[in-house]
Amino acid sequence: MAQERSLMKGNEAIGEAAIRAGCRFYAGYPITPQNELTEYMSRRMPEVGGTFIQSESELAAINMVYGAAAAGARAMTSSSGPGISLKQEGISYLCGAELPCFYANIVRGGPGLGNIAPAQSDYFQATRGGGHGDYRVIVLGPSTVQELVDLTMLGFELADRYRNPAMILGDGILGQMMEPVVMSDAIEYDASPKKEWALGSSEGRSKHLITSVRLAPGTLEKHNMHLLEKYRKVEEDEVRYELYEVDDADVVLVAYGTAARVAKAAVAMSRQNGGIKLGLVRPITLWPFPKTVISDIAKDKPDILVVEMSLGQMYEDVLLSVCGKAKVSLLAHTGGGLPSEAEIVETAKRAKSSNEAIEVYPSVD
Amino acid sequence: MTTKLIMAGFGGQGVVLMGTLLSYSAMVQGKHTTFFPSYGAEMRGGTANCSVIVSDEEIPSPVVSVPDCVVAMNIASLGKFEGRVREGGVIFINSSLVDKHVSRKDVEEVRVPANEIAEELGASRAANMVMLGAVIKKTRAVELQSAINSLEKVLSERAMAYLDVNKKALERGFNEIP
């Protein structure tokens, strides 16, 4: 049945999608620009019989998520960069203990307390894992409010499927803006966990143990190899991306999230004006990164231009994917700065006519 | 067609509601639309503004740096946004509260006595809807009827008592523009 469109703020759309995905536990601590999500959960969770906790700190929030996830609940938290930094210890523990959870980072400008403007500068933190140990987190990069909804629901699915945290890497624009959105139907929610590994009454079954401690010689190496095998499977099966006008493009842009919205408009603008032919690869999963498709494109496209709202972070993943097969240039903004369509077209022209790759940063004069 | 607007005033003038209703009406008509508020370090009684884009095409960034139209509900907003309007753009001024005129020669000034009209209707707080009616007539970004029909979707429960007067306010503002 076709669902009605509603006008929703990004932060609230994440909250509603999470509830429809069966999330019944939210713990968080306020921070701009994601506060509407915490507020929304404080209102909605009691309505669906779930638990909302405004925790005393970010550390408490992520450890409560650990507890709820261990008991089999679909659990989530959210924050912006500074708060996600504080949660990294807990995220590492969740990965080590193979507990599913979902969280959103509505990125603001950093480093430090930075500012509250939209940014993409937590890309390394998200895709490399900001905590300790050999682990990976599934990272989804939405670019519209609709995608915040779709990827939140997908995030919970993937987290459960792989028993691993999954996250959304958004930004202040996506969190704060309103856009028309179609909500998916709620999944049938059954309060009793079907997760056979989850904690609970052990009557009639053997004891379950959820832990990230593996002290006996060789056990951690064995466990981490099991995790690696899982991550390989994620890399094989879960890569998602969008291609836009790539086939006949002279320069292929690579951008995600809000930067990809502007990049897409630059592609359309340049083609309408009869200018340089641009195309766009938009990674939807940032980890696993769409390496293969970018590598394939690089075989017959000599020019790639990465556009991001950070100082060359995704740029490194594109360079690794291309592996010297094409010229990879960069257009970077930072600290809340946004690229414009005209700037992207201009930089693409310069990149194409240059013999070497170029890196373009904001001018600060 | 794409119309980019910045709507601004002081907190309590209903600037956010004005933007939300415009965006909602655009959605109802099947258009692409985005609404982006100023957020964060704002205070009660301070200034409030929002950016709205209504378009037949996908919208890149919802942030509006060079608007086609600015709505200034108070004098501070005129000072803040006058310089940003594109050449040939329109500045709507709430002339009930703003004596000052636009100083630029390359933009059009549209003066709407929004508070006075709202008071005539018996609801001084509906000045925002008077202004939105005028904006809709002038920009043709959406149909007046879409806005009237959408009102009940965006008004808070508490404000539903004023549904009819808000509809009238939209119509009066719309008819204010030749």
Side-chain angles (χ1 to χ4, degrees):
Chain A
M1 192 184 100
Q3 298 260 342
E4 205 181 322
R5 295 208 298 172
S6 55
L7 189 67
M8 274 190 107
K9 187 172 257 216
N11 283 330
E12 298 187 338
I14 296 171
E16 185 56 33
I19 283 171
R20 289 178 188 227
C23 174
R24 288 298 179 273
F25 184 91
Y26 175 96
Y29 187 85
I31 183 171
T32 305
Q34 64 82 55
N35 281 326
E36 295 81 3
L37 172 50
T38 312
E39 186 196 4
Y40 190 82
M41 288 311 216
S42 72
R43 194 166 64 242
R44 278 290 275 146
M45 272 302 182
E47 288 175 6
V48 295
T51 302
F52 167 85
I53 297 174
Q54 182 173 320
S55 56
E56 68 270 35
S57 71
E58 284 85 354
L59 261 75
I62 192 69
N63 285 301
M64 289 174 194
V65 166
Y66 184 108
R74 281 200 159 174
M76 80 172 281
T77 186
S78 64
S79 193
S80 188
I84 298 290
S85 291
L86 292 166
K87 288 172 181 164
Q88 292 300 340
E89 180 194 47
I91 292 163
S92 165
Y93 278 55
L94 280 146
C95 289
E98 287 195 275
L99 287 174
C101 79
F102 175 80
Y103 60 101
N105 179 358
I106 304 303
V107 183
R108 52 191 264 164
L113 212 46
N115 64 17
I116 57 171
Q120 296 184 323
S121 44
D122 297 349
Y123 182 90
F124 281 157
Q125 183 202 50
T127 59
R128 269 47 177 181
H132 58 282
D134 267 332
Y135 74 88
R136 289 292 191 176
V137 166
I138 297 166
V139 186
L140 307 169
S143 75
T144 61
V145 176
Q146 183 65 54
E147 245 182 8
L148 285 173
V149 169
D150 299 342
L151 296 183
T152 293
M153 297 194 80
L154 177 69
F156 277 100
E157 283 302 315
L158 295 178
D160 274 358
R161 193 179 307 160
Y162 295 99
R163 285 185 63 181
N164 199 74
M167 70 171 291
I168 270 185
L169 190 67
D171 65 54
I173 285 183
L174 289 165
Q176 292 295 325
M177 74 189 289
M178 286 200 286
E179 221 172 14
V181 62
V182 178
M183 276 288 161
S184 313
D185 290 334
I187 63 157
E188 286 293 318
Y189 180 68
D190 180 352
S192 62
K194 290 194 188 62
K195 297 167 179 173
E196 295 191 347
W197 45 264
L199 303 186
S201 165
S202 63
E203 212 178 300
R205 63 157 169 84
S206 60
K207 208 167 70 174
H208 290 170
L209 177 66
I210 301 279
T211 182
S212 69
V213 189
R214 288 175 179 82
L215 295 174
T219 53
L220 184 58
E221 190 163 51
K222 189 175 167 211
H223 178 69
N224 286 357
M225 289 312 291
H226 156 70
L227 292 183
L228 179 65
E229 197 183 318
K230 190 167 82 173
Y231 299 146
R232 290 259 160 85
K233 182 104 179 82
V234 176
E235 285 181 310
E236 260 169 47
D237 295 348
E238 306 300 347
V239 171
R240 287 167 172 80
Y241 56 86
E242 181 195 355
L243 298 181
Y244 180 64
E245 307 273 10
V246 168
D247 285 349
D248 65 340
D250 293 324
V251 177
V252 175
L253 309 173
V254 184
Y256 74 98
T258 293
R261 295 176 71 110
V262 185
K264 205 171 193 179
V267 172
M269 184 177 96
S270 190
R271 282 173 184 265
Q272 264 166 24
N273 300 342
I276 185 169
K277 278 185 181 161
L278 303 178
L280 170 68
V281 182
R282 180 173 73 88
I284 295 171
T285 49
L286 301 173
W287 192 85
F289 194 72
K291 282 188 272 197
T292 312
V293 66
I294 292 174
S295 164
D296 287 346
I297 286 168
K299 281 177 199 152
D300 32 70
K301 302 286 179 190
D303 272 293
I304 290 176
L305 173 63
V306 179
V307 182
E308 60 180 285
M309 288 144 60
S310 45
L311 293 175
Q313 298 193 21
M314 186 177 70
Y315 187 42
E316 291 194 2
D317 275 338
V318 177
L319 285 168
L320 283 168
S321 308
V322 169
C323 225
K325 286 193 289 284
K327 226 161 74 198
V328 183
S329 295
L330 171 70
L331 172 59
H333 275 272
T334 186
L338 279 176
S340 73
E341 293 98 304
E343 188 186 14
I344 293 173
V345 174
E346 201 45 49
T347 309
K349 275 193 243 168
R350 278 180 55 200
K352 188 172 185 300
S353 60
S354 161
N355 290 327
E356 306 274 319
I358 59 169
E359 292 181 9
V360 177
Y361 298 96
S363 113
V364 287
D365 309 331
Chain B
M1 190 180 81
T2 298
T3 312
K4 299 180 179 188
L5 305 99
I6 292 179
M7 299 174 154
F10 51 73
Q13 278 186 305
V15 164
V16 168
L17 182 65
M18 215 189 321
T20 305
L21 181 58
L22 178 59
S23 203
Y24 198 99
S25 311
M27 176 184 77
V28 168
Q29 286 182 225
K31 290 174 182 281
H32 292 275
T33 183
T34 58
F35 167 99
F36 189 66
S38 57
Y39 65 93
E42 313 289 343
M43 289 183 305
R44 190 179 289 261
T47 59
N49 73 76
C50 62
S51 304
V52 175
I53 304 178
V54 175
S55 182
D56 298 319
E57 283 155 53
E58 271 186 63
I59 298 166
S61 160
V63 178
V64 173
S65 41
V66 183
D68 302 305
C69 303
V70 158
V71 176
M73 291 299 284
N74 66 354
I75 193 154
S77 304
L78 178 61
K80 190 169 176 187
F81 294 110
E82 179 180 346
R84 300 222 334 229
V85 183
R86 74 163 163 82
E87 208 176 294
V90 185
I91 298 181
F92 295 87
I93 291 178
N94 176 12
S95 58
S96 304
L97 299 184
V98 184
D99 294 334
K100 230 183 121 193
H101 286 264
V102 172
S103 55
R104 286 171 57 179
K105 294 282 173 264
D106 59 348
V107 295
E108 186 182 347
E109 172 175 334
V110 175
R111 298 183 73 79
V112 182
N115 287 72
E116 284 156 66
I117 294 173
E119 270 159 37
E120 278 172 34
L121 295 170
S124 58
R125 295 188 58 196
N128 57 343
M129 292 297 122
V130 174
M131 182 57 94
L132 183 59
V135 170
I136 288 172
K137 177 74 168 280
K138 181 79 184 165
T139 62
R140 298 172 192 277
V142 299
E143 304 285 331
L144 178 66
Q145 200 55 46
S146 315
I148 288 173
N149 295 346
S150 301
L151 254 177
E152 56 191 291
K153 302 283 187 187
V154 302
L155 284 181
S156 65
E157 255 173 65
R158 197 165 42 85
M160 283 303 276
Y162 303 98
L163 182 62
D164 286 338
V165 75
N166 275 301
K167 287 181 179 172
K168 282 199 194 98
L170 279 168
E171 280 166 358
R172 276 293 302 272
F174 189 85
N175 293 329
E176 201 56 23
I177 305 295

